[in-house]
Amino acid sequence: MTVDDKELSAGSGHDGYVPSERRLERERHRRGRARRATAIGAVSTLVTGAVLYLVVVNAPGWPRTRETFFDWGYAREAFPKVLEGLWLNVRLLLVCGAAVLVLGMLIAVARTLRGPVFFPLRFLAAAYTDFFRGLPLIINLMIVVLGVPALRLQGVTVDPVILGGTALTLTYSAYVAEVFRAGIESVHPSQRAAARSLGLSNRQALRYVVLPQAVRRQVPPLLNDLVSLQKDTGLVSIGGAVDAVRAADIIVGRSLNYTPYIVAGLVFVALTIPMTRFTDWVTARMDRRRAQGGVA
């Protein structure tokens, strides 16, 4: 037992406990060290930012770069159109995100099925994940968005938004399936055995015991995949869908000024940062629970 623990235990018997001078001094030292660290971090950040700013604005080509990429007039023109196109990206994120989670879970479960009778299903699920994880997303989008309409299949849509969303779902479900599979395999076999001993079937043990633990453990990587999906919804513009990127591209094609691209990029960054910080918060919270011996 440390000195501080003894002080706390000695004073826990009455409400008038007053910390010792030594403990108060330690607390003041910790607070002072935290303030110094914050001040040093702020000063170093300001110095770094000032140096980068001076390097950029003193570069020989800065005036031309500023005119081409940072024109306030074109930024004001592009902003409302980019925001209008962003609504398409948000809808794609919501629809594709839900589809990716469902399809990824089904593929992960298929890969973890036991018994020789399920070998064809396991093989197809493994082939799916290997293929779409290896195929670059931009090529997948071109194949689906440009190739499917060229087939002229009856009853098959040629809407670039739907086709682009399908390509995104195909690629990201392969990544999410591996995340789910890792979570399923991280659950100790004794959990399944205990569920079976209580009378649950294999399907019930998977549904009520294994999957809840697997999903809870894999929340941070799943959120990271959704952040990446949020950014990649801008790639559907290659098929002609007017999203935030395409709205900026239309203005650039007319004006030959690239400021709208900067506006679109900043809008995506502003949309991504809250989800990224939320992911960091969830990860830190789960790490604290693991450190304290809680259920992850």
Side-chain angles (χ1 to χ4, degrees), residues 242-283:
V242 184
D243 68 330
V245 177
R246 181 59 178 167
D249 188 58
I250 293 173
I251 301 176
V252 171
R254 184 178 68 250
S255 64
L256 299 180
N257 187 284
Y258 297 105
T259 303
Y261 286 147
I262 302 298
V263 174
L266 293 177
V267 167
F268 272 101
V269 169
L271 187 64
T272 303
I273 286 177
M275 185 176 291
T276 305
R277 296 286 74 80
F278 176 71
T279 302
D280 293 341
W281 177 81
V282 171
T283 303

Side-chain angles (χ1 to χ4, degrees), residues 131 135 138-149 238:
F131 179 79
L135 183 68
I138 189 69
I139 295 179
N140 185 17
L141 280 162
M142 289 181 177
I143 292 174
V144 176
V145 175
L146 304 179
V148 171
I238 66 172

